Amino acid sequence: MAYNAGTMNLGEFEHIVLLAILRLGEGAYAIPIREEIEERTGRAVARGALYTALERLESKKCLRSRMSEPLPERGGRSRRYFTVTPGGLSALRASRRSLLSLWQGVEGRLES
Amino acid sequence: VSVTRDAVPPRTAERLLTAVLGSSDWTDTIVGDLHEEYVGRAAAAPLRAGAWYWAIAIRLVTRGLIARARTATASSPRQPATLNPGDSLMRTLGLETRYAWRSIVSRPMLSATVIVTLALGLGANASVFSMIDALLLRPYTLRDVDRMALVSYALPNDEDRRESVSPADFLDMRRQSDAFEHLSVFEWWTANLVGADEPENVLGFRVSANFFATLGVEPAIGRTFQQDEETPGRDTRVILSHALWQRRFGADRGIIGRTIEIDGRQFEAIGIMPAGFDFPFGAQLWAPSAFTADQAANRRSLYLTVIGRLGAGKTLEDATSQMQVVGERLTSDHPDTNRNRVARVYTLVQGMSDLGTGPILSMWQASAGFVLLIACANVASLLLARGADRQREMAVRLAMGASRMRVVRELLLESGLLAVLAIPCALAIAWATLKVIIAYMPPTIASFVAGWYEMDVDLRLVGFTVALAIVTAVIFGVVPALQASRPRLTDTLKDGGRGATAGASKLRLRSGLVIAEIALALPLLVAAGLSVLTVHRFLNGPQGFNPDGALTMRLVLPEVKYPTPDSRFQFAHAVVERLRSMPGVTAASASNVIPAISSNSGRSFEIEGQPIPTALDRPNADYRAVTDDFFTALGIPLLRGRGFTSGDRADTQQVIIVSDAMARRYWPDRDPIGARLRFSDGEPWLTVVGISGDVIHEWFNRRNYPTVYRPYSQGPGRQMALVVRTSGDPDSLASASRAAVRSVDPSQPVYELKSMRENIRVRTIGLQYLGAVMFAFGGLALALSVVGIYGVMAYMVTQRTHEIGVRMALGATRRDVLRLTVRQTAALTAIGVTIGVVLAVLLSRVIEAGLLGLTATDPRMVAGLAAALALAALAAGYIPARRAAALDPSQALRQS
């Protein structure tokens, strides 16, 4: 199935995950991603949910991953680092645009 | 002794994770991430990190399983559940498993309750099994351990008694038997190690040259003993354990060939054993056992433990019969010493096992079995309730021509799957339990227990748990499956079961389960109560001495430095004087033995004027040589006569003080003061000058045992225990006391420096474990059965909603309804408690045996616990009863 990144809808959690990866830049793998989200949003993130989201985002071509050298502190396994693809970026952009346009005119209601 | 290891996550959890997630690079990523996080956490708190890992693993596994079930269901919607007569068994089973899956996932709350209940029951059993496996079945990791044997003496009237062997007898055994390839001995050796560091007391053993060959172990570095090193003078060789080598000698390979000062003599270090080898009893040092001519002819002193390796083609039976012949020959050759000795051969594991461990572990296993049965009853009643909910479904399927066999099989498959799902949780529970059990044991004791650190979740345990889960699934699954598949078709189909109260047989079944739960829980509660009370009594009850405000320490004077009685007395005298002069100290004493330590000393004796039939029938008493302040320092009351004074010297009248139990036993109808006794023919007569209170030396078999006290000046030995009594905190005197000893002899180490309270705590650690474990089982049983009763009663009320509505419509008051429901609970509780009391009395007999007669069942306690359980059961039944009484009749009638 082909996705049109420009019109594709991101779920809220997917949106959050992509932003966290962007914020982290080079060193984005599951552990810091989860920490970043928990720190910024103040809510607990289930590991299972995060892996599911990462897998889904990769299959939607919003994310690309590469494996590091095997590391002793991981029992000889590699880290999987994520980067946001151009497709992921435009999905984020589209998401932001629609949210911002929806926000227009209602922001004042929140202040009271 | 701490072993540093790279932190590695619990292996079983990791394997489980990989197995469920399937091997893919994503699984690798996830497992790798968890590994990384684990390492970080383990550095701070290893125990908690392990628990964390298990929790995450279980969460991920559950998630993975549910996801898999969903995909399976989604990708094959409904249609494959139809089966054709010609389908293969595999296809049938596959489809039925999927069907069972769906049914479990569709009722998550119920399934979770069942799984948690089962996991608790299975986890309890798995923990105990792991202990039995590690401590009883295979405590030694030696290669071909089943080729090794232990030879000991038994008494003709006490087959289970395992006595050590005398040097002369051992040498004869070695010469006269060919069933063993190697026959060797070990004897205890408390070695005083002196060197660069502070002097230290180390557990060592004197062993035959072929000791290591007997066990089939090679040194990691250097060599073992040679035959000629078994001769006095050439025996100053020593082999170090890997742990001692690392800790004390910084793992320096150059130690080989250098000399080490032990007990005032220079020993040459010749070898280092491989890591992990510490046979027997956590040994740190081994030196050759060299007999002098006198010792080699000694048949009286029994202090050698004989172990052997069976020769090629020889069996344990061969060795047994041969040793019997040798033993009989020794008896006829040396009737005066060997008359009552019978040689016995055990496997090494049997022979080395502690006699108390078996009964206690069996008691735990039995209790864990009870917990599992209660869990089964709980789950069965939950499934019965669900079976009733599914009656319509079953009826439709049966009516459409499904065979009853197929329906039963599916329901059983479902039970089986539930049990399988409980396995990982059970293993996690077992893992956590074992970690806690291991962590709370003081290392000084744990090193004596072979296999203690081997307790872990391993493949054997997984196998055991899986097998037990399957058996369990059958136990809790069969009855509900049969019930659910036998609905009265017409009734059920007619109109959804309206109006029908649950059938009489089902009611009986469910009532039976409630009764069973209560009946099973009560004995466990009684066992728990009994154990906890016993432990409490032993820890805090009267000891015969004052355990508060006393600091104790032990030491062993080396023969070489302190060869004469006078040199030993001078040492004791000097040390006691220093201790006494420390600020805050009210009394100090030295003696060979003090209460609550791990060693004892006993002598046989004869009383003047009381004839003894034969030398072997001489009575026995505990023997203590004590300095004058001993009774004050320990707080043992002097009942009559006088205490010891500095006037009691080696050259004055030889005197003793006897304990109250001794006085009453051997002088039942006269005043023992002034009476005399002696320890053996050649020794002087000792005059009784006082009577002291009884003490509890050890809880299992030395409570108020007849004891003889002698002035230290008249019998100074090499083993010494010091007591310092203070008005303040005894622990604060520790370093000053150590310094006081060192000021008298700088190379003399002390060990077991701790407060008397701590001694008692360590000494009763086995009992405390017993109490804690039984308490946990009792609590678990209570919780499970109360939840079970609540579940059944709540369900019965739901089932009877319609009936209750009718009753209320016909004029029954809320009180009537409440009474009706409560009465039902009360009846079931009464029957359950009655059966439970009978079981409890039977079980408490087993417990009493397990506790080696330490305690007797108190009828008041049984009654109290029965009442408490009944109250809990009534409370559990009361909540649904109130709900029933609060029903609005019109709604109740409309409902269901």
Side-chain angles (χ1 to χ4, degrees):
Chain A
M1 211 186 290
Y3 290 95
N4 180 343
T7 58
M8 185 179 66
N9 285 321
L10 286 174
E12 189 209 7
F13 189 58
E14 291 174 329
H15 195 140
I16 290 175
V17 169
L18 284 179
L19 284 175
I21 294 173
L22 276 182
R23 295 181 64 88
L24 287 167
E26 279 294 283
Y29 66 104
I31 297 176
I33 294 173
R34 193 168 153 268
E35 283 167 0
E36 177 75 14
I37 299 175
E38 293 198 335
E39 199 177 306
R40 295 277 153 197
T41 66
R43 67 187 201 196
V45 176
R47 287 176 180 74
L50 178 62
Y51 290 117
T52 314
L54 288 170
E55 199 174 355
R56 199 169 50 232
L57 284 168
E58 191 170 16
S59 74
K60 285 185 187 175
K61 307 255 186 314
C62 292
L63 284 178
R64 201 173 28 230
S65 70
R66 67 183 164 81
M67 305 303 281
S68 75
E69 293 296 297
L71 296 165
E73 69 267 29
R74 298 171 60 89
R77 298 179 195 85
S78 305
R79 270 189 199 141
R80 182 187 287 259
Y81 286 109
F82 295 93
T83 31
V84 180
T85 59
L89 278 179
S90 53
L92 270 177
R93 217 173 288 130
S95 228
R96 180 171 183 273
R97 205 167 31 235
S98 17
L99 284 177
L100 281 179
S101 82
L102 281 168
W103 271 111
Q104 265 172 27
V106 292
E107 264 159 12
R109 301 254 198 106
L110 295 181
E111 290 157 15
S112 60
Chain B
V1 184
S2 76
V3 183
T4 48
R5 246 188 306 172
D6 286 337
V8 173
R11 248 180 320 148
T12 316
E14 198 176 276
R15 262 185 229 157
L16 188 74
L17 208 52
T18 324
V20 171
L21 298 182
S23 65
S24 72
D25 53 343
W26 269 101
T27 306
D28 248 27
T29 304
I30 295 172
V31 175
D33 283 343
L34 288 185
H35 194 122
E36 195 176 330
E37 277 193 77
Y38 173 84
V39 171
R41 284 164 185 265
L47 213 68
R48 208 181 290 171
W52 169 83
Y53 195 96
W54 267 106
I56 298 290
I58 286 172
R59 228 178 288 163
L60 287 173
V61 162
T62 320
R63 205 185 158 94
L65 285 176
I66 290 176
R68 204 186 277 186
R70 290 229 174 97
T71 354
T73 321
S75 61
S76 51
R78 304 291 156 191
Q79 146 269 329
T82 38
L83 276 175
N84 303 312
D87 283 341
S88 73
L89 182 68
M90 279 321 287
R91 179 174 147 76
T92 315
L93 266 181
L95 285 173
E96 286 181 359
T97 313
R98 197 176 298 167
Y99 187 78
W101 235 140
R102 226 184 268 158
S103 157
I104 289 172
V105 177
S106 69
R107 296 173 181 79
M109 274 313 290
L110 177 76
S111 303
T113 315
V114 169
I115 290 171
V116 168
T117 310
L118 285 177
L120 287 172
L122 288 172
N125 280 274
S127 316
V128 178
F129 172 80
S130 177
M131 298 187 71
I132 290 181
D133 191 37
L135 304 183
L136 282 187
L137 302 184
R138 19 165 231 167
Y140 300 105
T141 46
L142 300 165
R143 238 177 329 118
D144 22 283
V145 68
D146 48 337
R147 298 296 295 159
M148 296 165 206
L150 182 139
V151 185
S152 77
Y153 282 138
L155 300 179
N157 54 1
D158 187 359
E159 290 286 305
D160 292 334
R161 181 80 166 264
R162 278 171 280 172
E163 277 294 351
S164 300
V165 174
S166 68
D169 285 357
F170 160 66
L171 294 173
D172 285 338
M173 285 175 180
R174 200 190 235 183
R175 265 192 295 276
Q176 295 177 18
S177 80
D178 62 358
F180 293 104
E181 185 188 345
H182 296 289
L183 200 60
S184 60
V185 293
F186 62 80
E187 86 182 80
W188 292 78
W189 176 36
T190 341
N192 290 333
L193 203 59
V194 182
D197 272 349
E198 192 164 302
E200 181 186 354
N201 186 287
V202 171
L203 177 60
F205 284 85
R206 295 273 188 176
V207 301
S208 306
N210 62 349
F211 172 79
F212 298 102
T214 307
L215 297 170
V217 283
E218 298 280 332
I221 304 168
R223 62 172 179 91
T224 55
F225 305 123
Q226 285 157 2
Q227 192 60 46
D228 65 332
E229 285 164 346
E230 274 188 14
T231 33
R234 317 184 63 166
D235 60 341
T236 46
R237 309 277 184 276
V238 68
I239 294 177
L240 312 176
S241 76
H242 194 265
L244 182 70
W245 176 57
Q246 293 219 315
R247 180 170 61 78
R248 177 110 190 168
F249 300 99
D252 172 17
R253 284 170 168 265
I255 189 76
I256 301 291
R258 286 218 297 265
T259 56
I260 301 170
E261 188 187 329
I262 304 170
D263 291 351
R265 290 166 74 194
Q266 299 298 320
F267 281 74
E268 180 190 343
I270 60 162
I272 317 288
M273 292 314 285
F277 179 82
D278 61 357
F279 184 89
F281 306 116
Q284 303 286 297
L285 276 181
W286 298 267
S289 170
F291 303 130
T292 60
D294 273 358
Q295 283 170 329
N298 184 340
R299 290 187 199 279
R300 282 190 190 280
S301 318
L302 309 178
Y303 61 90
L304 299 175
T305 308
V306 180
I307 58 171
R309 170 179 286 260
L310 293 170
K314 300 289 185 186
T315 64
L316 202 67
E317 287 71 40
D318 296 338
T320 306
S321 52
Q322 199 176 56
M323 276 302 148
Q324 227 143 15
V325 174
V326 174
E328 280 161 20
R329 197 179 304 150
L330 286 171
T331 303
S332 66
D333 290 353
H334 312 280
D336 52 327
T337 50
N338 289 42
R339 209 185 47 175
N340 272 348
R341 294 176 190 167
V342 184
R344 289 245 167 271
V345 180
Y346 301 92
T347 64
L348 187 74
V349 170
Q350 259 180 350
M352 296 287 294
S353 71
D354 181 79
L355 286 177
T357 315
I360 287 177
L361 286 177
S362 338
M363 187 169 105
W364 287 357
Q365 189 75 81
S367 308
F370 268 61
V371 170
L372 186 58
L373 281 179
I374 295 174
C376 281
N378 250 351
V379 172
S381 68
L382 283 171
L383 292 185
L384 266 180
R386 193 192 45 171
D389 284 344
R390 284 167 77 179
Q391 251 173 25
R392 242 177 107 79
E393 175 198 343
M394 291 301 156
V396 170
R397 294 183 61 191
L398 289 171
M400 300 291 285
S403 70
R404 184 163 175 223
M405 179 61 197
R406 178 167 173 207
V407 174
V408 170
R409 196 170 56 208
E410 269 178 25
L411 289 170
L412 271 182
L413 208 57
E414 222 178 292
S415 310
L417 267 180
L418 285 169
V420 167
L421 287 173
I423 291 172
C425 310
L427 290 175
I429 290 173
W431 179 87
T433 313
L434 291 175
K435 289 293 158 193
V436 170
I437 284 180
I438 291 173
Y440 277 82
M441 179 67 90
T444 46
I445 301 267
S447 65
F448 282 98
V449 187
W452 186 260
Y453 290 112
E454 308 296 320
M455 291 190 287
D456 200 1
V457 176
D458 58 9
L459 276 180
R460 276 165 72 104
L461 185 63
V462 174
F464 167 82
T465 312
V466 169
L468 191 64
I470 292 168
V471 175
T472 309
V474 173
I475 295 177
F476 73 74
V478 160
V479 173
L482 289 177
Q483 273 290 339
S485 66
R486 195 184 55 194
R488 282 149 304 170
L489 289 185
T490 42
D491 283 0
T492 317
L493 286 178
K494 237 188 293 171
D495 83 309
R498 164 184 275 258
T501 327
S505 75
K506 258 176 219 176
L507 245 171
R508 240 198 328 267
L509 200 63
R510 225 163 279 144
S511 312
L513 287 171
V514 169
I515 293 172
E517 288 191 38
I518 297 177
L520 288 169
L522 187 57
L524 270 188
L525 280 180
V526 169
L530 205 58
S531 312
V532 170
L533 267 182
T534 309
V535 174
H536 179 80
R537 193 151 57 88
F538 290 0
L539 267 180
N540 304 316
Q543 313 274 342
F545 56 93
N546 179 4
D548 294 309
L551 181 77
T552 70
M553 72 206 93
R554 300 174 67 185
L555 49 89
V556 180
L557 297 176
E559 180 81 57
V560 182
K561 273 183 96 172
Y562 297 94
T564 63
D566 187 55
S567 63
R568 300 197 278 267
F569 172 71
Q570 292 306 335
F571 174 86
H573 184 73
V575 168
V576 168
E577 283 307 312
R578 303 265 160 116
L579 292 174
R580 195 178 286 152
S581 64
M582 289 178 350
V585 171
T586 55
S589 76
S591 56
N592 61 338
V593 171
I594 50 171
I597 59 171
S598 60
S599 76
N600 194 7
S601 171
R603 300 290 288 268
S604 66
F605 63 91
E606 65 178 290
I607 295 169
E608 193 178 31
Q610 293 188 13
I612 295 164
T614 72
L616 289 155
D617 297 321
R618 292 159 62 88
N620 227 294
D622 278 352
Y623 171 81
R624 310 282 180 257
V626 305
T627 57
D628 6 311
D629 239 6
F630 177 82
F631 294 97
T632 325
L634 276 154
I636 300 173
L638 266 174
L639 304 180
R640 257 152 12 87
R642 69 166 176 96
F644 298 139
T645 66
S646 53
D648 293 310
R649 296 188 310 272
D651 53 355
T652 57
Q653 187 195 27
Q654 303 277 307
V655 294
I656 50 171
I657 290 171
V658 296
S659 68
D660 195 30
M662 175 129 180
R664 275 184 282 119
R665 180 141 160 207
Y666 295 104
W667 295 275
D669 38 20
R670 60 158 289 197
D671 185 357
I673 291 184
R676 302 206 299 170
L677 61 77
R678 66 177 175 184
F679 293 124
S680 64
D681 290 350
E683 288 188 51
W685 287 100
L686 315 171
T687 309
V688 179
V689 295
I691 299 173
S692 74
D694 288 320
V695 299
I696 292 165
H697 180 71
E698 199 243 318
W699 279 104
F700 278 101
N701 49 22
R702 277 293 187 274
R703 278 171 291 153
N704 307 339
Y705 195 78
T707 308
V708 176
Y709 297 92
R710 200 179 180 190
Y712 200 79
S713 53
Q714 299 180 351
R718 298 202 296 117
Q719 305 265 353
M720 198 182 292
L722 303 169
V723 180
V724 183
R725 175 159 295 281
T726 167
S727 41
D729 173 19
D731 287 318
S732 66
L733 291 177
S735 55
S737 304
R738 193 190 285 274
V741 174
R742 208 177 307 157
S743 70
V744 176
D745 180 347
S747 64
Q748 180 58 52
V750 298
Y751 63 107
E752 290 185 17
L753 177 62
K754 52 191 159 206
S755 70
M756 192 47 131
R757 275 278 171 219
E758 179 66 11
N759 272 322
I760 294 175
R761 198 184 73 77
V762 169
R763 210 54 189 127
T764 51
I765 194 89
L767 273 175
Q768 292 172 51
Y769 268 77
L770 182 88
V773 169
M774 293 306 293
F775 184 76
F777 284 152
L780 210 53
L782 182 65
L784 283 177
S785 52
V786 167
V787 169
I789 292 162
Y790 170 78
V792 170
M793 293 317 294
Y795 186 73
M796 282 183 175
V797 167
T798 330
Q799 285 280 292
R800 293 174 75 175
T801 306
H802 188 80
E803 179 201 329
I804 291 169
V806 172
R807 279 173 187 264
M808 289 175 92
L810 290 177
T813 61
R814 294 194 191 288
R815 273 185 88 84
D816 293 336
V817 172
L818 196 64
R819 199 179 306 141
L820 173 80
T821 329
V822 168
R823 198 188 295 147
Q824 198 176 7
T825 319
L828 297 181
T829 308
I831 303 174
V833 165
T834 313
I835 302 175
V837 166
V838 175
L839 285 178
V841 169
L842 291 178
L843 183 75
S844 62
R845 299 262 178 280
V846 181
I847 308 270
E848 283 168 27
L851 287 170
L852 303 166
L854 286 185
T855 187
T857 311
D858 180 355
R860 277 171 310 173
M861 192 186 72
V862 176
L865 286 170
L869 179 62
L871 269 179
L874 285 175
Y878 180 72
I879 302 167
R882 272 190 48 153
R883 199 161 57 207
L887 281 174
D888 176 356
S890 62
Q891 272 197 338
L893 280 172
R894 219 174 301 130
Q895 214 187 329
S896 78

